[in-house]
Structures are given as structure tokens and as C-alpha cells.
């Protein structure tokens, strides 16, 4: 596709519910990043994939957060047993092989009630 | 100390004037520097990147980098109301983008 896409754009979950957020990167981009952005803050790094390999997951806030990219393209961020503090915008970005520039998807706004 | 610092603003600038946005970073190993614009409820979009000391111009935008002072700025000439947004500074550290919290810019007609 022309850009990074994410789905759903909005998700409302009840506390304790599991959610799955999807990211489709720009075709051919080997690197994929997940960020969490709270209101009024810059994005915070969660995890990084190069192709299907998850090279860094140091930003995942707890073991309730899990990300995968099994075929090196689409990625899913899963949050188990959601808590109110998980409410944020989750941004996905992809990057080509010979550049530092990351391109962002529209984000998924997660609200946990 | 945060690795990337920005004044949160809001910075209010009259239409047609120059808006000056500033950012400092703590890691001297940072090599690449980015300015992203983020409208309310939208995701960040790339404005400019800069790697070398000095100025880089693109249309109404000029990025300035001073590695000795660990300082990067963005100038917007002939500011327009559509420039009203939050401007995020980000630096590359290894492969990660480290972000400032952003400066909210308001262009007053």
C-alpha cells in the first residue's frame, strides 16, 4: 500500500479484556516499530522488529504486552487483561532498509473503561 | 534528565511571522535528527531531517543543527494558521527514535 495502515482506528475495551492491534507497514519496509503515546506526550518506544525478528522489546511496559510479526510484514500488538493505564494511542511506524526515516500509521486510540 | 528536551509551549506567533522551535538532546552519539508535525488526533508526519551541522532549508522550513551545543531547531517562515500543531523533535540513538514531548505552536491570524 501507499502508507502504513493500522486497525482498528478506535478501540474501547472493558478492564480485563484482551485486545489485538494490527499494523500493515509500507510494502518492502524491513523495520517496524510500535510506540505508545499518552495525551500531551511524545511517543514512547515499545518494541522493534527487523523482518520477523523482534530485536528489542525493552519498552513493553509489562508481560501483558506481546507483539509479533510472524511473516515479516503485518504485525500485531496484543494486550492481555487491559488496565485503565493502558489507555493511549498506539502508533506503528515502518522504515526502509537504507534510511533512518520512520513513517507512521494513523494510530489506534485505545480506551480502557 | 530526559534525553530530548523541548519547551511544551504553547508558542503563539502572528500569521506571517517566523516561528522558532528549539530542542536539546543529551547523547553526543546521536547522529540523525528529525522534526515531526502532529495535528491533534493525528499521527506524526515528517517535516525534515538533518544529519550535518548547519542549516537545511526546505520551502518555508529551515532546520538548524549545532552538535557542539547539542541543539537542533526548526524555523518556519511566513507562518500560516495551518502550521498550528505540535512539533516533535526526535533523535536517533542506535535504531530507536527518542522523542521530545513536543512544542504546541499556535499561529494567530
Amino acid at each position: 500500500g501507499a502508507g502504513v495502515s493500522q486497525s482498528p482506528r478506535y478501540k474501547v475495551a472493558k478492564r480485563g479484556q484482551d485486545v489485538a492491534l494490527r499494523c500493515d507497514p509500507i510494502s518492502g519496509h524491513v523495520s517496524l516499530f510500535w510506540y505508545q503515546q499518552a495525551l500531551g506526550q511524545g511517543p514512547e518506544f515499545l518494541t522493534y522488529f527487523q523482518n520477523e525478528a523482534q530485536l528489542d522489546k525493552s519498552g513493553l511496559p509489562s508481560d501483558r504486552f506481546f507483539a509479533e510479526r510472524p511473516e515479516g510484514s503485518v504485525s500485531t500488538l496484543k494486550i492481555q487483561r487491559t488496565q485503565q493505564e493502558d489507555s493511549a494511542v498506539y502508533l506503528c511506524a515502518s522504515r526502509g532498509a537504507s534510511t533512518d526515516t520512520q513513517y507512521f500509521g494513523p494510530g489506534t486510540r485505545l480506551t480502557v473503561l | 534528565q530526559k534525553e530530548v528536551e523541548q519547551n511544551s509551549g504553547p508558542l503563539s506567533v502572528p500569521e506571517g511571522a517566523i516561528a522558532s522551535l528549539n530542542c536539546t538532546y543529551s547523547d553526543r552519539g546521536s547522529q540523525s535528527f528529525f522534526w515531526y508535525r502532529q495535528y491533534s488526533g493525528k499521527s506524526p508526519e515528517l517535516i525534515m531531517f538533518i544529519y550535518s551541522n548547519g542549516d537545511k532549508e526546505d520551502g518555508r522550513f529551515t532546520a538548524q543543527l549545532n552538535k557542539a551545543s547539542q541543539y537542533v531547531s526548526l524555523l518556519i517562515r511566513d507562518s500560516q494558521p495551518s502550521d498550528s500543531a505540535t512539533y516533535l523533535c526526535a533523535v536517533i540513538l542506535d535504531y530507536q527514535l527518542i522523542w521530545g514531548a513536543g512544542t504546541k505552536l499556535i499561529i494567530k491570524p
Side-chain angles (χ1 to χ4, degrees), chain A residues 9 33 35 37 40-43 45 48 55-56 58 91 95 100-106 109, chain B residues 2 32 34 36 38 41-46 49 51 88 92 94-97 99-102:
Chain A
R9 291 293 313 279
F33 300 81
Y35 294 89
Q37 188 174 22
Q41 299 296 317
F45 170 82
Y48 160 58
L55 299 187
D56 189 342
S58 62
L91 295 165
R95 186 186 72 191
D100 287 334
T101 302
Q102 296 182 23
Y103 296 93
F104 283 82
R109 182 177 295 278
Chain B
K2 284 201 69 176
S32 307
F34 299 80
Y36 282 79
Q38 188 171 28
K42 303 293 186 182
S43 60
E45 61 174 315
L46 181 69
F49 60 86
Y51 300 136
L88 295 159
I92 289 281
D94 296 328
Y95 48 80
Q96 285 190 34
L97 268 178
W99 298 82

Side-chain angles (χ1 to χ4, degrees), chain A residues 27-73:
Chain A
S27 179
H29 277 192
V30 298
S31 299
L32 186 145
F33 300 81
W34 283 99
Y35 294 89
Q36 180 189 61
Q37 188 174 22
L39 193 64
Q41 299 296 317
E44 295 282 344
F45 170 82
L46 293 177
T47 188
Y48 160 58
F49 289 87
Q50 187 164 314
N51 295 305
E52 70 279 2
Q54 189 176 19
L55 299 187
D56 189 342
K57 55 182 181 179
S58 62
L60 296 175
S62 79
D63 59 7
R64 296 185 295 104
F65 286 72
F66 172 76
E68 59 183 5
R69 194 186 185 198
E71 296 178 1
S73 178

